[in-house]
Amino acid sequence: FARWNLYIQSVLFLSHSNDGHKGRNMLDLMALLGFFCWMPTLALQLPSWEEFVAFILLSHAVAGLLNVQITLSHFSQPIFDSPDKEGVSKYGGDFFTRNVISSLDVACPTYLDWFHGGLQFQTLHHCYPRIGRQHLRKTEPLIASLCKKHSLPYSSKPFWDCNVDIVKTLKSAALDARKWSPLIYESMCAQG
């Protein structure tokens, strides 16, 4: 249901007078309308209404799986928005270090590679985006070894542990938000 929520949030955002996109509201509106015209037009090329509905539901479900993977691999890791957070400089040092620190790999057996589509190796994906999926599993020990050699905190956890980390991160963010001004909602341009 994540994509449906994003559609609703987009419409609410664009219908509000707040200009959180610095004058790009018209461009954003045109892009959203373009998508809402293109997607059904494409799907209506299918021979029956049943296939149309199945396509829409399946395409959104698959996007939901991608959303889970991206959430697991990014949201619980440090970001570089404040100086000296946990001893890491504001920008995390060089390109390689920033990407290692801000990525989390999902440790899983080989037979689940199809499910993750290679995205379970997020650190490799960020550091070496052109490595083909067929090479990720055999390259992972090399990057882990390189990180160990240079005392970088390479992170790889089982799927369940990644989900637990996400819940802990969300809880921490919610508790921190209690300390913020009541105006934080409005200042974040979150509508709905």
Side-chain angles (χ1 to χ4, degrees):
F1 296 107
R3 294 244 332 246
W4 299 104
N5 179 52
L6 288 174
Y7 297 152
I8 293 166
Q9 293 296 321
S10 297
V11 170
L12 289 172
F13 179 79
L14 290 172
S15 65
H16 195 269
S17 62
N18 182 12
D19 186 8
H21 284 179
K22 299 178 183 159
R24 293 191 335 236
N25 279 4
M26 185 54 71
L27 177 62
D28 292 343
L29 178 63
M30 297 306 294
L32 191 63
L33 289 174
F35 174 78
F36 284 141
C37 291
W38 170 78
M39 181 69 158
T41 301
L42 176 68
L44 284 170
Q45 303 307 308
L46 295 166
S48 70
W49 280 99
E50 293 84 8
E51 289 178 89
F52 169 81
V53 171
F55 172 79
I56 295 295
L57 293 176
L58 184 62
S59 67
H60 284 69
V62 169
L65 293 174
L66 179 63
N67 186 50
V68 168
Q69 182 64 56
I70 290 170
T71 299
L72 293 179
S73 300
H74 294 88
F75 287 17
S76 66
Q77 294 303 101
I79 57 173
F80 303 106
D81 62 348
S82 59
D84 297 322
K85 194 174 197 178
E86 298 175 23
V88 176
S89 68
K90 182 173 182 176
Y91 298 105
D94 58 277
F95 173 83
F96 186 83
T97 302
R98 280 194 311 271
N99 284 289
V100 168
I101 292 171
S102 64
S103 300
L104 171 64
D105 288 352
V106 180
C108 67
T110 305
Y111 66 84
L112 283 177
D113 284 353
W114 70 271
F115 177 76
H116 295 283
L119 293 176
Q120 74 272 32
F121 299 110
Q122 203 60 212
T123 305
L124 284 166
H125 167 70
H126 282 205
C127 292
Y128 307 105
R130 297 193 55 144
I131 292 179
R133 283 187 307 213
Q134 71 276 18
H135 302 296
L136 292 173
R137 186 164 289 281
K138 60 186 170 190
T139 309
E140 188 266 341
L142 300 174
I143 198 168
S145 170
L146 182 64
C147 289
K148 184 176 181 179
K149 177 181 176 182
H150 294 281
S151 301
L152 292 174
Y154 173 73
S155 299
S156 178
K157 297 179 181 182
F159 184 79
W160 178 257
D161 293 351
C162 292
N163 281 283
V164 169
D165 283 355
I166 291 296
V167 171
K168 287 179 181 176
T169 300
L170 291 173
K171 180 181 179 182
S172 173
L175 293 173
D176 285 347
R178 288 181 179 176
K179 301 172 193 169
W180 294 351
S181 161
L183 299 176
I184 191 69
Y185 171 81
E186 187 173 344
S187 70
M188 291 172 51
C189 301
Q191 311 302 320

